């Protein structure tokens, strides 16, 4: 397989996953705020922190208000990580591999692009936003399902799975990091009763609430949510599952010694760490390390396979 084709498949999958994740975190944050007392001002800054885009945000916006954050994450074409920018990049990558992906896949990504382009303005309004973002989530999941059900399970599909799972694992670690540490101010005793709502929002951000209930069969607790979202290998959005998927794909590919070592190192780190005793500060440091290791694995995949012919 040509390296340009492999790279386009990989990045198309990453951008599609990014579109879905952005839509999810905006919707869930809005829902969490509805569950908290109206006198509490939790804010939208954590979403900027999740995406690691503080500097870019501050260039254009003077405060992290709901209006500014939602516009930045969803519709700002100057921000390369926004939902609109990501769907543009996903479509551009898909266009270059139209002969590789199923025709229906190209049609779906085109429909997603046209839908977002035509409705993002009204979709930013609070009264329309939930429906707009839910529709986007549904369309991206439809695309993921179609590609899984129709693509040849060859090397191209391995690159697609690697892109999707690296993006997904990275976002899972960021959501856990920021929402567990910053969403509710710890000094506020008044908010302690709402801690469960916070952890529930973390699970809902990743569509993991029902799966958590089935797996854990107990109340929502910090230690169990952390173990479920970071170490569980059965839940498709857990960090541990995503890393295992990337490892499986690399085993099918030639010249995979270095990237395989990198991803195995991430897998061992997350599997061997005892999460429950970690303080908030230690958890933040641990998740920071995971994101760095995942970035190293991405760099290794890139340098091994995407040297253009």
């Amino acid at each position: 397989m040509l390296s340009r084709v492999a790279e386009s498949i990989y990045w198309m999958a990453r951008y599609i996953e990014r579109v879905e994740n952005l839509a999810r975190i905006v919707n869930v944050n809005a829902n969490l705020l509805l569950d908290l007392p109206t006198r509490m001002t939790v804010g939208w800054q954590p979403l900027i922190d999740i995406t690691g885009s503080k500097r870019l945000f501050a260039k254009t916006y003077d405060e992290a208000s709901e209006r500014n954050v939602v516009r930045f994450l969803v519709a700002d074409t100057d921000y390369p990580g926004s939902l609109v920018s990501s769907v543009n990049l996903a479509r551009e990558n898909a266009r270059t591999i139209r002969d590789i992906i199923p025709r229906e896949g190209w049609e779906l990504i085109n429909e997603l692009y046209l839908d977002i382009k035509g409705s993002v303005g009204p979709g930013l309004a609070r009264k329309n936003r939930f429906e707009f973002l839910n529709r986007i989530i549904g369309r991206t999941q439809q695309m993921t399902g179609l590609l899984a059900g129709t693509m040849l399970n060859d090397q191209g599909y391995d690159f697609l799975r690697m892109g999707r799972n690296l993006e997904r694992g990275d976002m899972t670690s960021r959501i856990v990091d920021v929402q567990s540490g910053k969403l509710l101010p710890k000094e506020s005793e008044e908010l302690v009763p709402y801690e469960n709502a916070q952890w529930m929002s973390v699970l809902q951000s990743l569509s993991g609430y029902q799966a958590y209930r089935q797996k854990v069969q107990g109340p929502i607790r910090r230690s169990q949510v952390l173990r479920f979202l970071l170490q569980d290998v059965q839940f498709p959005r857990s960090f541990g599952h995503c890393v295992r998927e990337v490892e499986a794909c690399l085993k099918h590919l030639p010249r995979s010694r270095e990237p395989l070592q990198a991803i195995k190192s991430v897998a061992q780190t997350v599997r061997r760490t005892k999460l429950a005793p970690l303080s908030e500060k230690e958890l933040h440091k641990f998740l920071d390390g995971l994101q760095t290791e995942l970035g190293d694995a991405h760099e290794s995949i890139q340098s091994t396979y995407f040297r253009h012919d």
Side-chain angles (χ1 to χ4, degrees), residues 48-97:
I48 300 299
D49 298 338
I50 285 175
T51 53
S53 53
K54 278 185 190 175
R55 188 177 54 80
L56 280 173
F57 180 80
K59 277 186 178 179
T60 309
Y61 304 94
D62 54 3
E63 62 169 339
S65 63
E66 176 179 356
R67 183 175 181 277
N68 288 347
V69 171
V70 172
R71 178 168 293 279
F72 177 70
L73 293 180
V74 174
D76 196 328
T77 53
D78 291 330
Y79 171 42
S82 74
L83 191 150
V84 167
S85 298
S86 297
V87 78
N88 288 344
L89 291 166
R91 180 174 178 268
E92 185 56 30
N93 278 281
R95 187 184 62 75
T96 65
I97 48 172

Side-chain angles (χ1 to χ4, degrees), residues 1 9 100 144-164 245 249:
M1 166 169 280
I9 294 175
I100 305 295
T144 300
L146 182 136
L147 294 175
T150 56
M151 275 186 76
L152 284 176
N153 283 195
D154 58 3
Q155 292 182 352
Y157 190 58
D158 283 325
F159 281 105
L160 183 135
R161 284 173 63 204
M162 284 200 297
R164 182 174 68 228
E245 285 286 294
C249 293

Side-chain angles (χ1 to χ4, degrees), residues 17-301:
E17 184 67 25
R18 196 169 296 174
V19 168
E20 180 180 343
N21 287 328
L22 285 168
R24 282 176 184 280
I25 62 171
V26 171
N27 259 356
V28 171
N29 198 59
N31 288 340
L32 174 65
L33 298 186
L34 291 176
D35 289 337
L36 296 176
T38 54
R39 62 188 176 282
M40 297 298 172
T41 53
V42 175
W44 288 79
Q45 179 66 41
L47 301 197
I48 300 299
D49 298 338
I50 285 175
T51 53
S53 53
K54 278 185 190 175
R55 188 177 54 80
L56 280 173
F57 180 80
K59 277 186 178 179
T60 309
Y61 304 94
D62 54 3
E63 62 169 339
S65 63
E66 176 179 356
R67 183 175 181 277
N68 288 347
V69 171
V70 172
R71 178 168 293 279
F72 177 70
L73 293 180
V74 174
D76 196 328
T77 53
D78 291 330
Y79 171 42
S82 74
L83 191 150
V84 167
S85 298
S86 297
V87 78
N88 288 344
L89 291 166
R91 180 174 178 268
E92 185 56 30
N93 278 281
R95 187 184 62 75
T96 65
I97 48 172
R98 286 177 64 174
D99 296 337
I100 305 295
I101 59 175
R103 188 188 63 187
E104 294 90 342
W106 166 247
E107 290 172 355
L108 274 181
I109 201 165
N110 240 345
E111 288 171 10
L112 175 65
Y113 166 80
L114 293 172
D115 183 357
I116 293 176
K117 187 180 177 184
S119 57
V120 68
L124 290 178
R126 188 183 284 178
K127 65 177 181 179
N128 303 326
R129 199 170 64 215
F130 182 77
E131 187 277 331
F132 167 69
L133 294 176
N134 258 2
R135 191 172 70 244
I136 300 306
I137 292 169
R139 281 183 177 275
T140 55
Q141 290 181 328
Q142 186 183 3
M143 194 175 311
T144 300
L146 182 136
L147 294 175
T150 56
M151 275 186 76
L152 284 176
N153 283 195
D154 58 3
Q155 292 182 352
Y157 190 58
D158 283 325
F159 281 105
L160 183 135
R161 284 173 63 204
M162 284 200 297
R164 182 174 68 228
N165 281 287
L166 277 174
E167 184 72 26
R168 187 177 286 180
D170 181 67
M171 183 56 89
T172 295
S173 69
R174 288 173 187 273
I175 288 174
V176 172
D177 187 11
V178 175
Q179 294 211 11
S180 64
K182 297 181 182 175
L183 203 53
L184 300 184
K186 298 299 180 191
E187 65 272 17
S188 175
E189 292 296 326
E190 198 174 358
L191 283 177
V192 170
Y194 298 97
E195 191 175 326
N196 277 358
Q198 179 185 3
W199 286 111
M200 193 183 297
S201 87
V202 175
L203 288 167
Q204 288 172 337
S205 298
L206 299 161
S207 288
Y209 178 69
Q210 189 175 356
Y212 173 88
R213 286 293 197 190
Q214 289 174 335
K215 186 76 184 271
V216 178
Q217 297 187 347
I220 295 175
R221 297 188 191 282
R222 175 186 187 270
S223 59
Q224 289 170 321
V225 173
L226 288 177
R227 193 158 57 242
F228 179 71
L229 292 180
L230 297 178
Q231 295 176 324
D232 192 275
V233 294
Q234 293 179 316
F235 177 54
R237 291 187 176 276
S238 89
F239 189 91
H241 178 90
C242 294
V243 168
R244 179 178 275 206
E245 285 286 294
V246 175
E247 186 179 337
C249 293
L250 284 168
K251 286 178 178 174
H252 299 160
L253 296 173
R255 298 182 288 117
S256 64
R257 189 175 61 84
E258 288 187 12
L260 200 50
Q261 280 179 345
I263 204 68
K264 279 183 175 179
S265 169
V266 189
Q268 285 176 357
T269 302
V270 74
R271 189 173 59 244
R272 293 175 178 174
T273 301
K274 292 182 178 177
L275 300 169
L278 295 182
S279 67
E280 185 182 308
K281 191 175 177 181
E282 290 167 337
L283 178 63
H284 172 68
K285 189 177 177 184
F286 169 69
L287 291 169
D288 237 15
L290 283 188
Q291 288 156 22
T292 301
E293 283 196 66
L294 209 58
D296 292 342
H298 159 75
E299 291 296 332
S300 185
I301 289 169

